[in-house]
Amino acid sequence: MISLNRSCFLNKKSVSGPCSPFSQRQKRLTSSSVRVVALHSNRSRDRNGSVLMESTLKGMRDGLEVVDPNSTVSGGVQDVYGEDTATEDQFVTPWSLSVASGYTLLRDPHHNKGLAFTAKERDAHYLCGLLPPVVIPQELQVKKMMHLIRQYQVPLQKYMSMMDLQERNQKLFYKLLIENVEELLPIVYTPTVGEACQKYGSILRRPQGLFISLKEKGKILEVLRNWPEKNIQVIVVTDGERILGLGDLGCHGMGIPVGKLSLYTALGGVRPSACLPITIDVGTNNEKLLNDEFYIGLRQRRATGQEYAELLHEFMTAIKQNYGEKVLVQQFEDFANHNAFDLLEKYSTTHLVFNDDIQGTASVVLAGLVASLKLVGGALADHRFLFLGAGEAGTGIAELIALEMSKQTNLPLEETRKRIWLVDSKGLIVSSRMESLQHFKKPWAHEHEPIKTLLDAVNDIKPTVLIGTSGVGRTFTQEVVEGMASFNEKPIILALSNPTSQAECTAEEAYTWTQGRAIFASGSPFAPVEYEGKVHVPGQANNAYIFPGFGLGLIMSGTIRVHDDMLLAAAEALASEVTQENYDKGLIYPPFTNIRKISAQIAAKVAAKAYELGLATRLPQPIDLVKHAESCMYSPAYRSYR
Ligand SMILES: O=C([O-])CC(=O)C(=O)O
Ligand SMILES: [Mg+2]
């Protein structure tokens, strides 16, 4: 392989196709399957070697930070390959590497188009003979893949076939996902991703993210530099200790950051090359994994205390050092409660961090509650809330509801919290338990007699809203749900634990036990239920509604810190997307089909709040933030290669 130094970069005209003088000469100079690659002539490189658009350069010369009006990419997203700045009918060069071959092009998921390579492209890029003769458009490829995926009966087979596609042809993967979001979300995400994590050791093919284990202590920065992409904007990181409601899956938790980041791209339009999935491996306390000869992680019990804190601190420091602080949303995902709260608190003042299980879930649930008020009437402060589960999701949601109530009523937070009750594994959280409570539960310890069971708490508190976040399935029993139905005309019941096996009750149970009166949503999807001739469509109160748009809003505005008001703004934006038609079906969330449009609305509201709070650094503020968000979004359409 020949590699050229930078002075040898050629301009656009010099490699315009198979007949250009340069490419003829190059064919002679190199082996028949090797060629030299050009970068666009209208680009220059900054001090770090990144490509700058002419208009940006002009802006810098003028001493201004500008937004290129013609650019379809912004929000600090660098378009190294020129793919996103080019319209679909312009030509781009599919490599920024100095040398490539047709064979490697087919094996490069970023640029591979499979059978969609045109005859001209096959000729120009040394692909002849490497593909069968037929040329098909991307639309037909989508149809073909969907046909294939629908033939698999087992969800995990569908998952694996999607993962194979992601490794083979990234644009096709995202086009499939975007165009069939309702059908494929349960495959690449909850609930199937849960099963994939449980079996990750045996289904892992090519690693899709970075594994940082205790063995990497002292050299995490070096490990980060092994990742091929440099312009990272979103990191999702797990330590695998509480994967969905499935518990400690150690290193197998990697499926979660990979799945979440594919939604950042498909639902929120963040460029795939800007996304980095990370699993931190400090061991596992899962005996089954420790004894499994195929387990892929460290075979030791979890490091805790100082050892854990030091590794995490080195990681957080290295992240900032390597990627800077403006362009990074760092999403903590599926950590155990004790670490999740501490990490969020510790790093929220120094890093752009976000915990999806605490904050994303809170925002999505608040949106559903705001929407459900249209169906049940009253203001938030007129309702009584009872939670089963006082961990990340439970206390996170409770706090955001209390905050919103406080904004609406001008009552202090301490007062509005009193309308919210939480039950944990030891019963109702009351003030007599204060001493023994973990710190994140303390604000919810109200004056009350101790109550041991959820059923007794339901009958005593008489909540209008019952929310399950305990990670334990089948805990909303018939008696509990019937209790809710006995004192509420339309009981609001949210069974949020994931995956489906951990849901507190099924949609069918919720509708049947309330004679079709429940307003029901769940974390994992349930099919519509017919009860006495009426079809009820359950909503999916899953944080996937919020985090992709939320992340896009932070990125496009160059926000440096997350603020609770941004979570409230995201919730409002989501609630306002529920249409009358949705309400008529009993839905408190809009369908996922329009999620990219919804994400743009959420991104715009989040960015607007960031500008208002003075936390945005990408100036000047674009006039139309929704249009700007839409223009920042990654498109999975193929580009034409010169
Ligand atoms: O992944 C999901 O479906 C939602 C989530 O964050 C969790 O359950 O931990
Ligand atoms: Mg999670």
Side-chain angles (χ1 to χ4, degrees), residues 242 244 256 260 333-334 356-357 543:
R242 197 274 299 144
L244 307 176
I256 295 293
K260 292 256 166 184
E333 192 70 43
D334 293 6
D356 191 40
D357 301 304
N543 42 26

Side-chain angles (χ1 to χ4, degrees), residues 526-537:
F526 279 105
V529 175
E530 197 181 320
Y531 180 80
E532 291 187 350
K534 185 164 186 254
V535 177
H536 300 264
V537 187

Side-chain angles (χ1 to χ4, degrees), residues 415-641:
E415 276 307 306
T416 56
R417 281 187 186 136
K418 291 191 180 141
R419 288 150 212 236
I420 303 172
W421 297 84
L422 278 72
V423 170
D424 67 6
S425 58
K426 298 196 174 59
L428 191 66
I429 296 185
V430 289
S431 45
S432 55
R433 291 179 52 194
M434 189 66 98
E435 285 303 296
S436 60
L437 288 173
Q438 286 166 287
H439 66 91
F440 51 88
K441 296 185 184 176
K442 288 190 195 261
W444 308 101
H446 310 318
E447 289 298 327
H448 199 286
E449 288 300 300
I451 294 185
K452 279 267 168 280
T453 69
L454 175 66
L455 181 61
D456 288 346
V458 165
N459 289 328
D460 190 280
I461 308 278
K462 299 204 171 12
T464 54
V465 182
L466 178 66
I467 303 179
T469 60
S470 63
V472 186
R474 292 299 194 273
T475 38
F476 290 175
T477 58
Q478 184 164 358
E479 283 166 304
V480 165
V481 174
E482 284 178 352
M484 287 294 291
S486 69
F487 44 80
N488 287 301
E489 170 60 30
K490 288 184 178 172
I492 300 174
I493 298 176
L494 308 181
L496 300 182
S497 294
N498 295 313
T500 321
S501 59
Q502 308 310 108
E504 284 75 8
C505 66
T506 66
E508 189 173 358
E509 288 166 347
Y511 293 122
T512 312
W513 294 337
T514 60
Q515 301 86 43
R517 286 185 283 128
I519 294 168
F520 176 80
S522 51
S524 302
F526 279 105
V529 175
E530 197 181 320
Y531 180 80
E532 291 187 350
K534 185 164 186 254
V535 177
H536 300 264
V537 187
Q540 195 185 346
N542 191 291
N543 42 26
Y545 272 113
I546 292 282
F547 70 77
F550 192 81
L552 180 65
L554 298 179
I555 292 171
M556 73 185 210
S557 55
T559 295
I560 52 166
R561 299 285 178 265
V562 168
H563 190 285
D564 281 347
D565 284 0
M566 299 172 190
L567 299 170
L568 296 179
E572 262 169 46
L574 178 57
S576 64
E577 291 298 309
V578 188
T579 62
Q580 192 54 49
E581 195 190 329
N582 302 148
Y583 284 125
D584 292 345
K585 291 187 188 143
L587 276 173
I588 50 172
Y589 292 97
F592 265 111
T593 337
N594 298 328
I595 186 70
R596 274 168 80 97
K597 280 207 156 9
I598 297 169
S599 293
Q601 296 287 343
I602 293 174
K605 286 273 173 11
V606 168
K609 191 50 84 181
Y611 282 107
E612 188 188 316
L613 294 169
L615 290 167
T617 59
R618 212 162 285 286
L619 302 169
Q621 176 177 347
I623 295 163
D624 187 335
L625 281 168
V626 176
K627 273 214 175 82
H628 184 60
E630 279 169 352
S631 74
C632 289
M633 287 176 132
Y634 165 84
S635 147
Y638 291 142
R639 309 299 192 268
S640 302
Y641 299 153

Side-chain angles (χ1 to χ4, degrees), residues 381-393:
D382 300 329
H383 286 266
R384 269 184 319 282
F385 301 83
L386 180 67
F387 286 76
L388 176 64
E392 291 156 70

